[in-house]
Amino acid sequence: MLSKIKKYFNTEIVKIYDNSMYHKNNNSKKHLTILIVSNAFVQKSILNRHRQVYQALSKEINNTIYALSIHTYTFHEWKKNNIINIKKNICKFM
């Protein structure tokens, strides 16, 4: 999935956090948090950025992903805000 995202968004800055261990679910699908930094997001709303991610990962979302938290930034936003990591989403309904 990592290489697919890197290729689709033409970037090397992608982080995927698997939060499945923090969630109770009875299936094998994953709870993921994804961070993507790409100029493909320039002048795009957050909604359209997320649509792009859902389009890129449509197969995985239908088959292996149960929950997905998406963080998208342009390179300018990334540098300006000095973003290193993102907080993992821990389910409060564990």
Side-chain angles (χ1 to χ4, degrees):
M1 184 181 336
L2 181 64
S3 61
K4 182 177 186 176
I5 294 170
K6 285 181 175 184
K7 183 177 178 183
Y8 190 93
F9 292 101
N10 191 28
T11 187
E12 287 298 315
I13 304 175
V14 176
K15 295 184 182 186
I16 300 174
Y17 301 94
D18 186 347
N19 302 315
S20 301
M21 68 184 119
Y22 301 115
H23 299 270
K24 270 190 179 177
N25 68 1
N26 296 326
N27 60 41
S28 60
K29 292 189 174 187
K30 303 282 186 186
H31 290 248
L32 301 177
T33 300
I34 297 178
L35 172 120
I36 305 170
V37 180
S38 171
N39 281 334
F41 303 128
V42 171
Q43 296 184 349
K44 301 248 171 89
S45 68
I46 290 177
L47 178 62
N48 284 332
R49 292 175 184 198
H50 287 209
R51 284 180 177 154
Q52 283 181 277
V53 175
Y54 273 90
Q55 182 178 0
L57 298 177
S58 62
K59 183 177 179 181
E60 291 82 357
I61 289 168
N62 287 326
N63 297 314
T64 60
I65 298 174
Y66 178 78
L68 182 61
S69 177
I70 303 169
H71 301 267
T72 56
Y73 302 95
T74 64
F75 284 102
H76 176 72
E77 293 165 342
W78 175 258
K79 288 179 184 177
K80 179 182 170 189
N81 296 311
N82 195 27
I83 299 163
I84 306 291
N85 288 307
I86 52 176
K87 290 169 54 176
K88 293 182 181 181
N89 289 342
I90 303 204
C91 184
K92 60 183 176 184
F93 302 110
M94 267 181 68

